Amino acid sequence: MRLLSREREACERHLPGLDDKLASIALMELESPDSPGIGLYKSAGGAGLLIPTVHGGGGASAVDAVRVTRALAARSPSLAVATTMHQFSVASLVALAESSTGLEWMLLDGVARDQRLMASGFAEGRTSSGILTPTMKGVWDGANWRVSGRKQPCSLSRSMDLLTASVALEHPEQGTRTGIALIPAAAPGISVTPFWGSPVLAGAESDSVVLRDVEVHPDLIVELTTGLDGELDDLQTLGFVWFELLVTACYLGVAMNLVERVLTAGRGPAHERLGLGMAVEGAALALDGAARNLDDGDGGNDGLARALIARFTVADTVRATTAKAVELLGGMAFASSPEVGYLAAASNAIGFHPPSRHSSADALLGWFSGRPVVID
């Protein structure tokens, strides 16, 4: 067995040929604003990865999903981050369809059949905010919602076919509620403007998506509820779990790329190389375990706690192994190519996704004492 062999096997099984195609393209080309990665992902069937096979999708399990994400991240961090935003939206829509008699299955059929990508207009880039904190406002006009607001950064901004977004719905009589809207990217009133100025993760297409009085039919908005004790409803909780597992897999895949370079080059003492391999493989096993809990039906409050624990534990491993791998690869590897420095910089973005460890500390301490996890 080689490092990343399980990840690449899962990627080949679900997205045949994609890993080889990505491997044949230079890293910095894949990470550029004009990266071919997203197009290759769509062509391989990536949009339907998590959609059940009965609806034309790949039917991937959570375990396979985190493995595929690690494989993608080891080839192109930008592609992994961008497609994570699509997949966690799809996973939430699948869960909603299982308990609804609405149009969700028709939408999923369309996503799988036509390989439609969903951008995520949630709060992934703000560490002080919850993932579902509304970034937009909806006003009722008597027949439809009129949605306005801005999401920046918004991955897949230029390749999206649909936009999923958290919206503060201003009811004329019921006050303000939080909803999730599913909006066609071609809807009148949607525009994309430049935002992402960093060369790191530029291939994720994380620009600014602006909505100005966009008409959204009520059938395309799902209102969410929060209990009196602050607990999230089942759909929100499941969305959190998927997001934490997939976004963690992104940055672990980046660290595994650097460790693979160390092992391939035989850099450093054997015991230090072994330590790096054990660290990232152990982190992968921990993440797979949290994903397996989700496959077993633990997508509720306990599943959320375990996903957050995996996220923060793996983040520590990513930081430590990235720093050590860069050291072992040496100054010549760092100076002769932008790739090592780039991967090290990309790995740091794991700290930019909500919730932060600080904001989660009391919630997780409470969970260890038998209380539900409450995320502000």
Side-chain angles (χ1 to χ4, degrees):
M1 174 180 166
R2 294 175 58 88
L3 186 68
L4 285 163
S5 61
R6 287 177 305 176
E7 287 79 3
R8 287 169 181 154
E9 181 278 328
C11 190
E12 180 63 23
R13 181 158 36 90
H14 287 285
L15 307 175
L18 178 59
D19 186 68
D20 286 343
K21 290 177 181 177
L22 295 174
S24 71
I25 302 171
L27 173 67
M28 301 314 295
E29 181 180 352
L30 287 170
E31 295 304 291
S32 70
D34 297 321
S35 171
I38 292 172
L40 291 173
Y41 182 82
K42 288 184 70 171
S43 297
L49 179 67
L50 297 182
I51 296 175
T53 55
V54 68
H55 295 286
S61 66
V63 171
D64 276 350
V66 296
R67 289 178 178 175
V68 169
T69 302
R70 293 198 299 265
L72 296 178
R75 299 296 188 197
S76 171
S78 289
L79 178 60
V81 170
T83 56
T84 280
M85 304 314 170
H86 166 85
Q87 296 299 355
F88 111 86
S89 297
V90 168
S92 299
L93 192 57
V94 169
L96 179 63
E98 290 175 346
S99 59
S100 170
T101 58
L103 303 175
E104 293 81 10
W105 283 127
M106 293 177 60
L107 293 169
L108 290 170
D109 282 339
V111 167
R113 182 182 62 252
D114 299 327
Q115 287 301 297
R116 298 183 179 277
L117 289 176
M118 289 193 285
S120 171
F122 299 107
E124 304 96 356
R126 300 185 295 172
T127 53
S128 61
S129 299
I131 294 170
L132 296 178
T133 300
T135 59
M136 301 179 189
K137 179 177 71 174
V139 177
W140 182 248
D141 69 2
N144 295 294
W145 291 101
R146 315 293 300 199
V147 178
S148 300
R150 179 188 300 267
K151 174 59 173 61
Q152 59 184 35
C154 183
S155 299
L156 293 173
S157 59
R158 298 191 304 277
S159 295
M160 65 177 178
D161 300 294
L162 299 164
L163 174 68
T164 55
S166 50
V167 181
L169 301 172
E170 298 184 351
H171 285 269
E173 300 175 353
Q174 302 175 34
T176 301
R177 303 276 297 271
T178 298
I180 295 178
L182 184 63
I183 309 170
I190 297 182
S191 61
V192 177
T193 58
F195 172 78
W196 195 262
S198 171
V200 180
L201 300 178
E205 301 183 352
S206 299
D207 287 314
S208 178
V209 176
V210 182
L211 278 69
R212 293 186 176 89
D213 200 33
V214 176
E215 184 177 280
V216 183
H217 192 277
D219 286 346
L220 296 179
I221 290 186
V222 179
E223 295 190 25
L224 305 176
T225 60
T226 303
L228 295 177
D229 56 1
E231 289 185 65
L232 302 171
D233 72 10
D234 291 343
L235 179 62
Q236 293 181 83
T237 300
L238 184 66
F240 265 104
V241 173
W242 272 105
F243 178 80
E244 298 304 328
L245 294 178
L246 293 173
V247 82
T248 303
C250 290
Y251 298 102
L252 179 55
V254 176
M256 294 175 88
N257 177 310
L258 284 167
V259 172
E260 184 179 45
R261 290 168 184 251
V262 172
L263 298 177
T264 300
R267 302 289 299 180
H271 72 278
E272 292 190 342
R273 281 180 273 139
L274 175 62
L276 284 178
M278 290 174 58
V280 293
E281 185 66 17
L285 291 171
L287 189 58
D288 286 357
R292 189 165 288 108
N293 285 337
L294 181 56
D295 285 332
D296 291 340
D298 191 5
N301 201 264
D302 287 346
L304 174 58
R306 294 187 178 100
L308 288 171
I309 290 167
R311 150 89 184 273
F312 298 133
T313 302
V314 172
D316 289 341
T317 299
V318 167
R319 294 185 182 99
T321 55
T322 296
K324 188 63 178 178
V326 171
E327 176 187 335
L328 292 182
L329 286 168
M332 290 303 294
F334 188 89
S336 62
S337 168
E339 293 187 356
V340 171
Y342 178 88
L343 291 167
S347 71
N348 287 323
I350 193 170
F352 301 152
H353 300 282
S356 68
R357 189 179 312 218
H358 173 75
S359 67
S360 304
D362 289 341
L364 289 176
L365 284 172
W367 181 77
F368 280 115
S369 301
R371 297 192 296 274
V373 176
V374 177
I375 303 295
D376 296 326

